[in-house]
Amino acid sequence: MSSDIAIAKAFLQDLEKRFAKSEKSEIGTLLASLVSMRYKGKDNIREYIMEMSHLASRLKALKLDLSEDLLVHLVLISLPPQFNRFKVSYNCQKETWSLNELISHCVQEEERLKQDKTESAHYASTSKDKRKKRKDKEAADTQPPKKQRKNPSDFQSSGCFSCGSDGHMKKQCSNYHAWRAKKGLPGLPKTK
């Protein structure tokens, strides 16, 4: 019976070795994810930074400890161009922020950007509408009414385009053929 247990233990240990993840590959995957993360501006910035922090804590569990300063810089690097003024402001300060301070400041900046975006969108839409109305009114006052196009079937019944008389088309018009000959243009193929 004890030999069966020893065999089972050996079998389970062997099985564990075969299915165990390599710590090095997991560290590489997590680190690549952390470094390649980019904030798109669609989600909540607090959740985004917490997700980066979670990846850093998973790396710490695998014995790769990233300092909080490094994580703060990784977050700042991953922010989109809308946050450029915010990044410059951070870089001009002498003190460094903790991760919690960074989250707080980023949330404030995100709110400020949303307000600016709403105000500029409102401004653009109202001024655009005024200009369009003004242009439409000016165009209506200055332009003569457009000529209406005739129906293609009306052209056949109206006669020759060259001399304007009824009874023949431009291809059969003697005046048109004479004009082409005078200009040195090749003649048209004869029609029946």
Side-chain angles (χ1 to χ4, degrees), residues 11-12 38-39 58 65-66 86 93 102 108 120 134 153 160 169 177-178:
F11 174 74
L12 289 174
R38 296 288 176 257
Y39 180 64
R58 286 178 60 190
D65 192 12
L66 301 178
F86 176 74
Q93 295 179 9
L102 176 69
Q108 288 175 352
S120 64
R134 192 178 322 127
S153 62
C160 179
M169 301 300 285
H177 286 285

Side-chain angles (χ1 to χ4, degrees), residues 4-140:
D4 291 339
I5 293 174
I7 293 173
K9 278 186 180 180
F11 174 74
L12 289 174
Q13 287 174 350
D14 187 44
L15 194 60
E16 184 179 347
K17 286 178 186 176
R18 291 177 193 235
F19 288 100
K21 284 187 178 178
S22 169
E23 284 186 8
K24 289 180 186 177
S25 66
E26 190 172 359
I27 288 172
T29 303
L30 290 173
L31 201 52
S33 296
L34 182 64
V35 172
S36 66
M37 284 181 73
R38 296 288 176 257
Y39 180 64
K40 306 275 192 272
K42 296 177 183 176
D43 300 328
N44 184 334
I45 195 162
R46 181 187 314 268
E47 292 173 10
Y48 169 76
I49 296 172
M50 292 305 294
E51 185 179 343
M52 288 186 83
S53 176
H54 176 69
L55 286 175
S57 65
R58 286 178 60 190
L59 285 166
K60 187 175 184 176
L62 293 170
K63 298 178 182 82
L64 181 66
D65 192 12
L66 301 178
S67 71
E68 189 171 28
D69 288 342
L70 178 61
L71 187 57
V72 166
H73 283 283
L74 285 173
V75 170
L76 288 170
I77 289 168
S78 71
L79 295 177
Q82 296 92 314
F83 285 83
N84 281 348
R85 287 184 1 194
F86 176 74
K87 292 182 211 179
V88 169
S89 173
Y90 173 77
N91 290 333
C92 290
Q93 295 179 9
K94 289 184 180 180
E95 70 270 354
T96 58
W97 293 337
S98 68
L99 193 61
N100 289 333
E101 288 172 325
L102 176 69
I103 291 171
S104 173
H105 292 298
C106 282
V107 168
Q108 288 175 352
E109 181 68 9
E110 183 181 43
E111 288 301 317
R112 188 191 67 76
L113 288 172
K114 283 180 184 177
Q115 287 176 349
D116 286 352
K117 191 175 184 180
T118 304
E119 288 172 9
S120 64
H122 177 68
Y123 175 74
S125 68
T126 56
S127 63
K128 185 179 178 183
D129 290 343
K130 286 180 184 177
R131 275 185 282 158
K132 185 178 179 191
K133 287 178 187 176
R134 192 178 322 127
K135 282 183 181 179
D136 289 346
K137 186 176 180 183
E138 289 172 2

